[in-house]
Amino acid sequence: MYGVLVVLGWNEAMLVLFNPLYFAALLGLLGAAWVIFQLNLVGPLYAVGKTVTGEIQRQVSARLREHFSQPLDTAPPRQPRLAAPVAARYEDEVEMDRLDDKRDY
C-alpha cells in the first residue's frame, strides 16, 4: 500500500481505493501480476514485450525514412483559377429609403 501511496500520492491513492471501478481494475492487475509471478512467466513476457517494442521501432523508423526521403516540391504552388464574376441581374428595382427622411407613413 505504501508503494501505491508513494507512486500516486495521497489524493490519487484515495481515489483508487474509494472508486469501485478503479479498485476493481487494481485488483485485476494485482491478480494478473500474481499469476504471472506464480507461473514464472516474467521472462517470456519480457521477451515478448522486447520483441514487440523492437518491431514497432523498426516500422516507425522505416516509415519516417520513407516519408522524409521523398524530395520536396520546390516549385511555387499553382494559383487556382477563379471563376469569372457573374453580373447580378435583378428583376425588380429596389429603392432604398434614407434614414434622415422624416416622412410619416
Side-chain angles (χ1 to χ4, degrees), residues 41-104:
L41 294 175
V42 177
L45 191 63
Y46 177 73
V48 167
K50 189 175 178 181
T51 303
V52 168
T53 304
E55 182 65 23
I56 290 173
Q57 182 180 7
R58 187 185 65 78
Q59 288 186 12
V60 167
S61 62
R63 289 193 185 183
L64 285 174
R65 275 192 206 100
E66 177 186 327
H67 176 73
F68 288 115
S69 68
Q70 296 174 355
L72 293 176
D73 188 16
T74 57
R78 293 178 50 191
Q79 294 291 332
R81 290 186 58 186
L82 300 176
V86 178
R89 297 183 191 120
Y90 295 106
E91 295 177 6
D92 299 329
E93 288 292 325
V94 177
E95 209 174 292
M96 308 249 333
D97 292 333
R98 292 185 55 92
L99 291 177
D100 59 351
D101 194 7
K102 302 277 186 186
R103 284 189 259 169
D104 291 328

Side-chain angles (χ1 to χ4, degrees), residues 12-55:
E12 286 79 11
M14 291 300 110
L15 175 77
V16 168
L17 286 178
F18 293 119
N19 188 335
L21 185 63
Y22 288 146
F23 188 68
L26 178 66
L27 287 179
L29 287 174
L30 289 175
W34 181 79
V35 168
I36 288 170
F37 281 116
Q38 290 298 318
L39 296 177
N40 290 327
L41 294 175
V42 177
L45 191 63
Y46 177 73
V48 167
K50 189 175 178 181
T51 303
V52 168
T53 304
E55 182 65 23

